[in-house]
Amino acid sequence: MKLAFNQATTLENSTLEKDLELCEQQGYDYIEIRTMDKLPEYLETNTMADLKNFFDTHQLKPLALNALVFFNNRDEEGHQEIIQEFKAMLVTAQELNVPYIVAVPLVTKTKFHKQTIQQDCVAVLREMSDLAKASGVKIALEFVGHPECTVNTFGQAYDIIEAVDRENVGVVFDCFHFHAMGSNIADLERAKGDKIFILHMDDTEDFPIGFLTDDDRVWPGHGAIDLETHLKTLRKIGFKGVASVELFRPEYYQMSAEEVIRKAKDTTREVLQAYY
């Protein structure tokens, strides 16, 4: 299985330029580029042409632009801002030959009925699907395992992309998010492997459902998530995509970026090798 590095893993102790260099050295196949912070920081001293040249001349390739955040259940002004942001991300994705844009649902204390959430997610994802169709870029919906996220279980996310019913719209399967809100393995068993675009590999400390936060993530295989069941089921339903390691551990930010990138690869490979 191809392996990617998500820049959240070195969010506070590295840059895009350094991550590119270290991921290339460590033999990663792909990188997920953080568009909220790391890409703008890179462009302060480099150009998009520089980034394209790196990917054109190295083994490491871009997997996803991560991420278009809070895309659903916005007011009209917010919706138009999201669409303009998505259009700009499409331009970047085409320029760098990035296959996926990750879309993250709204996190809010405001309560919406599930039907309202689904209807709006479907409408916005179809609108973005139409915009992306000619480019070949695909949209990966990432549910977030937190009580205040409008889409916080795998089953809910999969129901949404089934209703969208577009070839270029699928989901991100994140092991942490699946565990954090107690997603049902039966929902994964009924899914189609080719509708899962990206696998996010991670693990977590053993806190109760609903209390977990990103800071609780640990190296894959070093926590409480039933990764064996996740990976066996993904293999069973025919998932053949890329595994991307994504950690937000504050103590890992105190380590050198080189050590984190190496350790992330080693622990992820160790977990994956029994199944892929």
Side-chain angles (χ1 to χ4, degrees), residues 9-29:
T9 310
T10 51
L11 181 60
E12 296 181 9
N13 57 344
S14 191
T15 63
L16 176 54
E17 197 163 21
K18 185 185 292 186
D19 284 344
L20 293 171
E21 176 187 344
L22 293 174
C23 287
E24 176 75 12
Q25 289 176 4
Q26 290 297 321
Y28 282 84
D29 302 289

Side-chain angles (χ1 to χ4, degrees), residues 85-213:
E85 183 179 352
F86 181 72
K87 288 179 178 178
M89 292 177 79
L90 275 178
V91 172
T92 299
Q94 289 178 276
E95 188 169 355
L96 298 177
N97 197 27
V98 182
Y100 299 108
I101 292 174
V102 174
V104 175
L106 179 66
V107 177
T108 177
K109 292 184 181 295
T110 302
K111 292 183 178 180
F112 294 96
H113 287 109
K114 287 181 67 176
Q115 183 178 10
T116 301
I117 296 167
Q118 171 143 341
Q119 287 174 343
D120 195 77
C121 284
V122 170
V124 178
L125 288 169
R126 283 180 176 169
E127 183 177 359
M128 295 193 296
S129 169
D130 289 339
L131 291 169
K133 186 176 181 180
S135 69
V137 176
K138 295 185 177 182
I139 304 157
L141 168 62
E142 181 170 12
F143 67 99
V144 176
H146 189 279
E148 293 178 358
C149 186
T150 50
V151 183
N152 58 20
T153 66
F154 176 80
Q156 184 188 8
Y158 198 81
D159 286 345
I160 288 168
I161 65 108
E162 279 195 312
V164 172
D165 194 24
R166 299 285 176 83
E167 184 179 347
N168 62 350
V169 179
V171 297
V172 175
F173 181 91
D174 185 301
C175 299
F176 172 83
H177 290 315
F178 191 96
H179 174 88
M181 283 297 291
S183 288
N184 193 331
I185 199 67
D187 290 324
L188 180 59
E189 290 171 340
R190 71 177 175 86
K192 296 179 180 177
D194 61 0
K195 295 303 290 182
I196 299 173
F197 290 165
I198 300 170
L199 166 63
H200 278 173
M201 287 295 299
D202 34 44
D203 213 324
T204 183
E205 294 188 74
D206 195 11
F207 294 119
I209 288 170
F211 283 84
L212 289 157
T213 66

